[in-house]
Amino acid sequence: MRHLIDFGDLPREEWDALYTRASQIMDAPEQFVDVCRGRVMASLFYEPSTRTNFSFQTAMLRLGGTVFGFADPNSSSTAKGETLKDTIKMVSGYADVVVMRTPWEGAARAAALYSHVPVVNAGDGGHMHPTQTMADLTTITRLLGKADGLSIGLCGDLKNGRTVHSLIKAMAKFQDVRFFLISPRELAVPDYMRVFLQENHMRFTEVTGLEAVIPQLDMLYMTRIQRERFVDPLEYERNKGVYVLTRRKLERAKKHMLVMHPLPRVDEITVDVDDDPRAVYFEQARYGMFARMALLADLANQPRLDRTPAVEIGVRPVCRNPRCITQTQPYLPPLVKQNGGVDCCAFCDGALE
Ligand code: CP
């Protein structure tokens, strides 16, 4: 059973095939209106969303399929205490593909253990967001003609920004990429991402200032400070509004630099930037729909599993990350992976006890 949990799991040739398919859909959408006829997508969004939720729904509808889900997670039986395992067992009996967003890091990987159909991670807490990366890569490739050889600025909350983590994983599949990681020190990329950058021999420079590096960039990826992820409200107050891209700052940027943003934006790009031809964040959101169509055309047409493989039963959470799915679903197996030679939680990449 194929799932999309972490972009790092996707071989480069599979991404190339998805991009080719997304381009074909963009160029001749009428040829794809029946690709998912009779297929059903479950849309499980336990966190707010505009782009990911609606673009997945419209993607499935444009392919001739149908969609079900809840508008409010409190109207599902999760609110009565149903486990993730039981929810997924049920939903994967009704649907051909499950798209899920949760505040719990590693939840999509956990769901995939029990699902009879493909699971797509539509964002798991501050961890990963692989289909946003599909939107990002589609935008870069369509507008710049390549994703190799780029200098990329990632700016904002790089600690909690799941889109940033997934994009770094993706860019490891391309040649000669250089990152400028622009963030306050307390919102720098998590250790597991720094280890990933080092293990993949990726060039990166961590800086706190945007203006000094902007002239070097081929693409600037702005992100918001993720208020909902802060345990300490004072930490948010210290960091909110720290980076604001304005027309004046753009004057020093390359003529063809792309300004991207996964959205939603709060205050980190002034509205007058929207009319600059380099600002492509609304196109980026639309490209995301076509990329998701390519993904659904593949995953929703896979044969379902009659039985899922047996899964070892855990006895207690072993992960120290308070936002890891193992904290609320203690039956999960204690899956371990290596990051930089150190054992880590295979669900959320967090440190183990
Ligand atoms: N980019 C993104 O994930 O947006 P939503 O939260 O609106 O889905």
Side-chain angles (χ1 to χ4, degrees), residues 42-74:
S43 177
L44 307 184
F45 276 68
Y46 293 94
E47 268 195 343
S49 169
T50 297
R51 276 144 294 277
T52 314
N53 192 0
F54 290 161
S55 67
F56 261 116
Q57 292 197 37
T58 48
M60 195 53 164
L61 296 173
R62 283 170 183 269
L63 293 169
T66 52
V67 179
F68 73 93
F70 43 74
D72 174 4
N74 286 321

Side-chain angles (χ1 to χ4, degrees), residues 48-53 101 129 132 162-163 262-264:
S49 169
T50 297
R51 276 144 294 277
T52 314
N53 192 0
R101 166 172 291 189
H129 192 349
Q132 177 61 48
R162 57 193 173 198
T163 64
L263 304 177

Side-chain angles (χ1 to χ4, degrees), residues 19-192:
Y19 176 73
T20 300
R21 176 56 59 89
S23 295
Q24 290 166 345
I25 294 170
M26 279 185 253
D27 295 339
E30 68 283 357
Q31 292 178 12
F32 294 85
V33 293
D34 284 323
V35 165
C36 283
R37 183 75 59 204
R39 300 291 166 188
V40 179
M41 183 185 94
S43 177
L44 307 184
F45 276 68
Y46 293 94
E47 268 195 343
S49 169
T50 297
R51 276 144 294 277
T52 314
N53 192 0
F54 290 161
S55 67
F56 261 116
Q57 292 197 37
T58 48
M60 195 53 164
L61 296 173
R62 283 170 183 269
L63 293 169
T66 52
V67 179
F68 73 93
F70 43 74
D72 174 4
N74 286 321
S75 67
S76 80
S77 284
T78 304
K80 296 184 232 168
E82 185 166 66
T83 62
L84 175 68
K85 174 182 176 180
D86 289 2
T87 300
I88 293 299
K89 281 280 175 202
M90 294 299 101
V91 170
S92 69
Y94 306 145
D96 299 298
V97 61
V98 176
V99 177
M100 65 181 297
R101 166 172 291 189
T102 79
W104 294 101
E105 300 183 359
R109 192 169 296 285
L113 294 174
Y114 307 107
S115 180
H116 296 253
V117 300
V119 173
V120 178
N121 182 5
D124 60 331
H127 185 223
M128 294 291 158
H129 192 349
T131 69
Q132 177 61 48
T133 302
M134 294 178 64
D136 302 342
L137 279 181
T138 302
T139 307
I140 293 168
T141 312
R142 285 289 279 202
L143 299 182
L144 295 180
K146 60 172 187 171
D148 297 300
L150 301 180
S151 284
I152 296 176
L154 303 175
C155 181
D157 184 351
L158 308 189
K159 176 183 175 189
N160 299 300
R162 57 193 173 198
T163 64
V164 165
H165 307 160
S166 284
L167 184 55
I168 291 172
K169 290 249 177 134
M171 295 314 294
K173 301 176 194 304
F174 295 88
Q175 302 298 314
D176 195 24
V177 172
R178 174 161 193 198
F179 281 117
F180 290 92
L181 305 179
I182 310 155
S183 74
R185 284 193 179 83
E186 58 189 339
L187 299 183
V189 288
D191 288 344
Y192 64 84

Side-chain angles (χ1 to χ4, degrees), residues 153 180 182 205 207 209-217 220 252 257:
F180 290 92
I182 310 155
T205 309
V207 297
L210 168 61
E211 289 182 66
V213 300
I214 211 169
Q216 301 182 59
L217 305 178
L220 172 60
R252 301 185 60 235
M257 183 189 81

